[in-house]
Amino acid sequence: FVFGGPFYHLWGWKGLGFIGAAISLSISRTAQSVVYFFYMFVYKKHHKNTWPDAGLSLSHHTWDRTAEFMKQSLPNLGTLLFSVISSQATTVLVGRLGERAIAASSALSTVTTPWGGTLSAT
């Protein structure tokens, strides 16, 4: 969608330029999710071993399961809120320092993204 790809050679279509990158990313990420769903649940049926026989129903919902979920999720919520608030505060403070500080902060933020993703997964 950016440069027209094979459509340029076949029909002379020149693509959508910068906007085409966002469109192609949206299409490919959506298609990945749809293909994964059909492969895992419709074709291979990998969910059958762990899925309840009755399917989704309220009979499987118990207060013990909800309490266990809350015990595990509330500390994670606190960590997530702290992370977001500190990131926003840093953005506001760096924004007051000028263009170079903003560029440096953006570069460091981009470079450290893989480490942040691996730490949040643990």
Side-chain angles (χ1 to χ4, degrees), residues 103-115:
S105 175
S106 175
L108 284 175
S109 174
T110 303
V111 168
T112 59
T113 296
W115 289 293

Side-chain angles (χ1 to χ4, degrees), residues 40-91:
M40 292 299 286
F41 299 113
V42 177
Y43 178 66
K44 287 288 191 175
K45 299 184 186 334
H46 283 302
H47 66 289
K48 290 286 188 183
N49 294 336
T50 57
W51 202 270
D53 292 333
L56 290 177
S57 69
L58 290 177
S59 65
H60 300 291
H61 176 77
T62 64
W63 288 112
D64 291 334
R65 288 182 178 182
T66 302
E68 183 61 33
F69 175 78
M70 289 301 188
K71 278 196 272 185
Q72 294 179 22
S73 64
L74 289 178
N76 193 20
L77 178 66
T79 303
L80 181 65
L81 283 173
F82 176 77
S83 174
V84 168
I85 290 169
S86 65
S87 174
Q88 293 299 317
T90 302
T91 301

